Amino acid sequence: MTSAGPDERIWHYDGQDATRHHPRIDWHAEGFSLVWPGGTSGPHRWSDLVPQGNAGGRSVYGLRGQGGWRLVFAGLPPHDFAVHLPLPARYGRWIDRIGLWPAIGLFALIAAILLFVVLRAPAWVAPLIPRSWEDRLGDTMIGDFGGRLCETPESRAALEKLRRELGDAVPIRRIAIANIKMVNAVALPGGHIIIFRDLIEEAKSPDELAGVLAHEIGHVRNRDTMTALVRQLGLSVLLGGFNGQVGGTINGLLALSYGRDAEREADRYSIEALRAADISPLPTAAFFERMEKRSGGESIERAMSWMASHPVSAERKAAFEDSAVKGGHYKPALSAAEWKALVDACAHDKDVAPPPFDF
């Protein structure tokens, strides 16, 4: 056993009153005790001492579980005593216990596991979400689309024909044309597919529209929209600790990467649906060729592919071209009258609201 004090440079408050005691400190490898006239404290374990700082050149220690208990040294504690003291906390108790770099490694491992789960789990979770929930979500998101959904009896019949041909087994609740100047089509939760007016007006044939529509049906079939929503929610929660710009950038890049996988899978569905419906995939290949030219060519697309949500147009074009049967004879997706009904749907729907603005 080793002792120090009593000494004016060592004092103690027992937490019961404001009396300053000058105890003798007795210690050994397992712990220490304080002894002063009329009182003792201990034995205590070294691990129960809590460094309280060294303001004013004093070294102050508390005792775990005993508020107001203080042991104070004017200056540093005796060397033989100090070797048993817990180190002052620099980053946090458990980080100090295992060390900074092992803690960083552990953080990185946990973050990688969480990121893997957040990125992969949506594909497992989305199929478990009840269809009724997804339907209500989709209905809420779309509403009446601002009165901009175009329809005539003839266009409704033409879209229904395409739905039967391309996705009869897929739970599609609505395919609609929107009076919005945008060359695009989207699949939304609840089995909704919106085709924007300019896509139909710029399409060269109903076969080309059929390939694009089958692609969106593939997204509905695979519940890609719900998967994307769940993933975005998980990433937002996981990356919430980053500042807004960094977190948003990482979120966007990860979402884009997984978006490309979903796009490729939707293309595979489209190719199979066109084959089953005996509709030529070559017009859809031509559509991607035009998209490639519009974006500046294959080299530019490849250079920018790391920040694109879709695969490179040249790859998509090649996939549709390769699926065509050489010398095969295909039937048109729609008759000339049916196709015209789709092209004229917005112009002939007198109740539809005008386009909100140009994109």
Side-chain angles (χ1 to χ4, degrees), residues 300-322:
I300 293 179
E301 270 201 350
R302 289 194 181 282
M304 302 296 289
S305 62
W306 65 276
M307 58 182 299
S309 61
H310 288 66
V312 174
S313 295
E315 296 177 3
R316 307 179 76 182
K317 171 193 166 189
F320 279 85
E321 282 182 339
D322 293 345

Side-chain angles (χ1 to χ4, degrees), residues 104-322:
I104 291 175
L106 182 60
F107 266 125
L109 177 62
I110 293 173
I113 293 173
L114 287 176
L115 188 59
F116 176 81
V117 170
V118 167
L119 291 176
R120 292 297 181 185
W124 312 326
V125 172
L128 303 178
I129 296 175
R131 287 282 184 183
S132 58
W133 293 11
E134 183 179 343
D135 291 348
R136 285 196 293 272
L137 175 63
D139 293 345
T140 301
M141 290 176 65
I142 293 178
D144 66 353
F145 220 69
R148 294 185 174 84
L149 297 182
C150 317
E151 185 178 85
T152 64
E154 294 79 12
S155 71
R156 182 169 60 250
L159 288 177
E160 175 58 23
K161 178 180 179 180
L162 285 177
R163 187 197 66 79
R164 289 195 307 270
E165 293 275 2
L166 301 171
D168 196 33
V170 179
I172 299 169
R173 296 172 60 222
R174 176 165 58 175
I175 301 175
I177 302 170
N179 191 25
I180 294 177
K181 293 182 175 298
M182 179 186 290
V183 183
N184 206 347
V186 294
L188 298 172
H192 296 276
I193 296 176
I194 303 296
I195 304 170
F196 295 100
R197 176 179 179 170
D198 277 9
L199 174 64
I200 296 178
E201 292 183 349
E202 291 203 13
K204 303 301 182 185
S205 71
D207 297 359
E208 188 173 306
L209 175 66
V212 176
L213 179 59
H215 174 91
E216 300 304 328
I217 293 174
H219 282 313
V220 174
R221 174 180 177 274
N222 299 329
R223 304 189 77 177
D224 289 333
T225 306
M226 283 307 302
T227 301
L229 289 174
V230 173
R231 180 173 293 122
Q232 286 297 114
L233 176 62
L235 287 172
S236 298
V237 172
L238 181 64
L239 300 174
F242 288 86
N243 69 46
Q245 185 174 2
V246 175
T249 300
I250 297 174
N251 189 338
L253 291 176
L254 292 171
L256 289 174
S257 174
Y258 281 83
R260 285 193 286 269
D261 291 341
E263 296 299 329
R264 290 191 179 95
E265 188 58 36
D267 279 351
R268 279 192 284 272
Y269 175 87
S270 178
I271 289 171
E272 289 302 317
L274 293 176
R275 178 181 294 130
D278 197 25
I279 298 172
S280 174
L282 294 177
T284 307
F287 169 79
F288 288 123
E289 184 174 11
R290 292 205 308 278
M291 292 300 102
E292 178 185 306
K293 291 178 179 176
R294 179 173 292 185
S295 61
E298 181 178 351
S299 59
I300 293 179
E301 270 201 350
R302 289 194 181 282
M304 302 296 289
S305 62
W306 65 276
M307 58 182 299
S309 61
H310 288 66
V312 174
S313 295
E315 296 177 3
R316 307 179 76 182
K317 171 193 166 189
F320 279 85
E321 282 182 339
D322 293 345

Side-chain angles (χ1 to χ4, degrees), residues 2-3 27-28 46 77-85:
T2 307
S3 298
W27 70 88
H28 48 70
W46 295 108
H79 175 74
D80 292 345
F81 185 87
V83 296
H84 299 289
L85 294 174

Side-chain angles (χ1 to χ4, degrees), residues 155 177 197 200-201 203 338-348:
S155 71
I177 302 170
R197 176 179 179 170
I200 296 178
E201 292 183 349
E338 291 166 333
W339 176 235
K340 189 173 189 308
L342 290 184
V343 173
D344 294 340
C346 289
H348 289 179

